[in-house]
Amino acid sequence: MTTDGQRLHCLVTGASGYIGGRLVPELLQEGHRVRCLARSPAKLRDHPWAAHAETVQGDVTDPESLASAMRGIDVAYYLVHALGSGSRFEDTDRAAARTFAEQARAAGVRRIVYLGGLTPRGVPEDSLSPHLRSRAEVGQIFLDSPVPATVLRAAVVIGSGSASFEMLRYLTERLPVMVTPSWVHTRTQPIGVRDVLRYLVGSATMPDDVDRAFDIGGPDVLTYRDMMRRYAAVAGLRRRLIVPVPVLTPRLSSHWVGLVTPVPASLARPLTESLRHEVVCHEHDIARYVPDAPGRPLPFDEALALALRRVREAQVTTRWSSASVPGAPSDPLPTDPDWAGGSLYQDERQRPVDASREALWRVVEGIGGDNGWYSSPLAWAVRGRLDRFAGGVGLRRGRRDTERLRVGDSLDFWRVEEIEPGRLLRLRAEMRLPGLAWLEMYTETDEQGRTRYRQRALFHPRGLLGHAYWWSVAPFHSVVFGGMARNIARAASEGTSGRRSAARIRRARRRRRVREQRTQSAPPHQE
């Protein structure tokens, strides 16, 4: 809020993008009113903050829609870019920025805030990549306008979903040995997305006489090679072997990145072109207006850990869908591109159940140990033996109680990580795996009031071996996980709880022991 306690009215363009989608809830949390300008407002419908912000249709190249969107606005955020190549891309950015500045002046906007790219010092403008050159030009257009502007210039943004971070993530995770372009030796100054958002929010309340650009970055200056190796260390991967070669041009590099990672080549090209020149901060004047708390800006390794937090802390069930204002801007959003957020394979099954949720929950909570896993006993036994052979725990731990589970319980080669009685059982795998794995079991009620069983197996691969492991076992999922979902639903429908299953198993074991004792006590056969 402003010093007099009044809320600011902020316009956010690019709210469907990476930074904009995370800035809106931060502004809302500060008590500001937010209006979002979008060409397709429907794209913002699934954001968890959509009900708390106003959305209007328009385009930054359309003066009429901008004039309407800026009515009553105090601070206008410009977070859009026409990524591409050639003069048309730069012309589009230039025209849009000029239109935005003109309409902001006409509407009496108090400040424009723009997030651009960190540009190298002492490099001729015509030597810059089109991407960096255009961003620098857009920033200068805002600084030359009558409306006071804050232009923030950042290099690599570290956060799950950021295109530059996802390129780093996928290259490092998928390639234990990399033949890389020479730009891996270029120094850059990465910054965590939390600090970027903190500076963006703080820029809204800068004094009216502040009209300038600020370099923003974290405390570490690293080469891209350093970043890949430190990513491997934070993610628990083996040290990466990186062999740079001088023959990969930005065009070839972008196709190489597009081949190895899910990041589109059209997006990878401006990113790789920007890595040709050293981009480091030459001042930290932003701290005069947005003071840094102890430990801020975040060091590179800490920003990495936060970006990887969803998998590291096993937060595989998103919190965004139920939160009115998200809490972790480094987490992936459901509206991020499909390639954002890292690899997280999943096998999901669901079945209708002709029984109450209570009956279904008794079967779910009674799973494992002597009660079994409700699918191919041979497959589970073989997997347990393989795990023991590899030095793991196998299936020998069983369960603490035949009927009840609690967080922290061991369950064969799983560990109970979360339990919401009557709704959710989440197990984390403790078997030997090239990655992290979870098994989630839900008891739900559908729209018609019927009981439904839902099951998810999730796997976060570690390195190339992890990806190979998932695809090697994927053909067996229909037998193991599909059979498991069917049999759990059937057991609940037939009223076969974990307790009754365990009783049958105990009776079968007693009969087997009796037979073995009789065999041992029988006299030897005489010839």
Side-chain angles (χ1 to χ4, degrees):
M1 294 188 182
T2 56
T3 54
D4 59 1
Q6 296 297 312
R7 295 189 302 171
L8 294 174
H9 199 179
C10 303
L11 175 70
V12 176
T13 62
S16 60
Y18 174 69
I19 294 293
R22 287 157 171 79
L23 175 63
V24 172
E26 297 294 312
L27 291 170
L28 291 171
Q29 198 167 35
E30 287 296 308
H32 301 310
R33 296 164 57 202
V34 178
R35 177 184 296 160
C36 301
L37 176 72
R39 285 181 294 181
S40 302
K43 290 184 177 180
L44 304 181
R45 180 182 56 199
D46 294 331
H47 280 272
W49 43 257
H52 304 274
E54 178 188 2
T55 301
V56 297
Q57 186 172 17
D59 190 281
V60 291
T61 61
D62 177 25
E64 290 186 10
S65 63
L66 273 179
S68 176
M70 287 189 178
R71 192 172 296 118
I73 291 296
D74 299 307
V75 180
Y77 285 89
Y78 190 85
L79 303 173
V80 294
H81 297 285
L83 284 180
S85 59
S87 59
R88 183 178 301 176
F89 138 68
E90 293 185 77
D91 289 345
T92 301
D93 266 350
R94 183 183 306 113
R98 286 174 176 168
T99 302
F100 194 85
E102 290 168 2
Q103 296 304 318
R105 177 192 57 78
V109 172
R110 292 164 51 182
R111 177 167 299 277
I112 294 173
V113 181
Y114 169 63
L115 177 62
L118 191 56
T119 54
R121 299 291 175 90
V123 176
E125 184 177 310
D126 57 1
S127 297
L128 295 177
S129 71
H131 171 62
L132 281 182
R133 185 170 60 237
S134 180
R135 290 201 168 192
E137 183 181 16
V138 168
Q140 193 59 49
I141 288 172
F142 292 141
L143 292 175
D144 291 341
S145 76
V147 180
T150 300
V151 174
L152 303 180
R153 301 185 294 207
V156 176
V157 177
I158 302 299
S160 185
S162 159
S164 52
F165 172 73
E166 296 300 339
M167 189 172 79
L168 171 69
R169 179 206 297 269
Y170 282 108
L171 286 176
T172 310
E173 287 188 352
R174 294 190 172 182
L175 295 178
V177 178
M178 287 175 273
V179 178
T180 59
S182 57
W183 47 253
V184 297
H185 289 304
T186 303
R187 296 200 315 160
T188 188
Q189 193 162 350
I191 181 171
V193 65
R194 293 191 177 198
D195 287 310
V196 173
L197 295 172
R198 183 168 58 87
Y199 292 140
L200 283 169
V201 172
S203 296
T205 54
M206 283 186 176
D208 292 341
D209 59 349
V210 176
D211 186 20
R212 55 163 291 184
F214 297 92
D215 292 352
I216 59 172
D220 302 294
V221 177
L222 305 164
T223 66
Y224 206 85
R225 179 178 183 172
D226 294 333
M227 290 194 290
M228 286 191 285
R229 286 184 167 167
R230 289 172 74 162
Y231 179 98
V234 172
L237 303 172
R238 293 182 178 179
R239 182 178 176 84
R240 271 28 194 166
L241 178 61
I242 301 169
V243 182
V245 294
V247 296
L248 287 178
T249 65
R251 179 184 292 274
L252 289 175
S253 294
S254 65
H255 289 296
W256 171 69
V257 171
L259 179 66
V260 174
T261 81
V263 179
S266 59
L267 185 56
R269 183 173 182 182
L271 296 177
T272 55
E273 285 178 333
S274 301
L275 292 169
R276 289 183 300 172
H277 301 290
E278 180 178 287
V279 282
V280 298
C281 298
H282 291 269
E283 43 85 8
H284 188 55
D285 297 346
I286 188 73
R288 299 178 189 170
Y289 307 100
V290 188
D292 292 322
R296 304 298 290 267
L298 293 172
F300 178 74
D301 289 356
E302 189 173 341
L304 275 182
L306 287 170
L308 294 170
R309 187 181 68 169
R310 179 182 63 152
V311 169
R312 187 192 62 186
E313 295 183 357
Q315 294 178 338
V316 294
T317 302
T318 180
R319 295 176 293 106
W320 299 97
S321 59
S322 58
S324 59
V325 177
S330 51
D331 284 350
L333 284 170
T335 46
D336 283 342
D338 292 339
W339 44 260
S343 300
L344 188 63
Y345 295 119
Q346 64 177 306
D347 179 282
E348 185 165 0
R349 316 269 171 168
Q350 53 184 340
R351 307 280 299 185
V353 181
D354 187 18
S356 66
R357 285 184 63 175
E358 291 75 13
L360 176 58
W361 178 252
R362 284 196 295 272
V363 177
V364 169
E365 192 177 12
I367 201 166
D370 288 342
N371 299 339
W373 291 90
Y374 291 90
S375 68
S376 181
L378 177 61
W380 286 96
V382 169
R383 186 63 184 87
R385 291 192 181 96
L386 289 174
D387 190 56
R388 290 188 65 179
F389 179 77
V393 296
L395 291 172
R396 56 189 170 182
R397 295 191 302 188
R399 41 181 298 153
R400 175 188 58 85
D401 186 294
T402 58
E403 298 179 39
R404 298 286 180 263
L405 291 174
R406 62 190 182 195
V407 172
D409 275 359
S410 60
L411 188 58
D412 295 328
F413 45 42
W414 303 90
R415 177 78 59 181
V416 178
E417 183 171 85
E418 182 62 67
I419 185 167
E420 297 178 21
R423 179 183 174 272
L424 164 68
L425 173 63
R426 181 188 300 141
L427 308 175
R428 185 184 72 248
E430 292 189 337
M431 63 192 83
R432 297 280 184 171
L433 289 170
L436 302 173
W438 297 266
L439 179 62
E440 294 180 339
M441 289 166 275
Y442 295 86
T443 61
E444 300 175 335
T445 304
D446 64 16
E447 294 79 4
Q448 287 74 41
R450 297 170 301 188
T451 303
R452 177 177 61 189
Y453 172 68
R454 185 163 61 90
Q455 171 185 296
R456 287 203 312 168
L458 301 111
F459 181 67
H460 173 66
R462 181 179 291 118
L464 191 61
L465 182 60
H467 293 275
Y469 170 81
W470 173 264
W471 291 113
S472 68
V473 300
F476 305 102
H477 287 172
S478 60
V479 175
V480 176
F481 296 126
M484 184 177 180
R486 287 192 303 272
N487 293 331
I488 285 177
R490 183 182 300 119
S493 299
E494 295 174 352
T496 310
S497 68
R499 180 191 308 176
R500 295 174 64 179
S501 298
R504 285 200 304 272
I505 292 170
R506 287 194 293 270
R507 287 197 298 270
R509 287 184 172 180
R510 283 198 297 269
R511 288 195 296 269
R512 186 168 61 250
R513 284 197 298 269
V514 170
R515 287 196 300 269
E516 291 173 351
Q517 290 170 358
R518 288 175 179 172
T519 301
Q520 293 171 1
S521 61
H525 178 70
Q526 299 294 325
E527 292 291 335

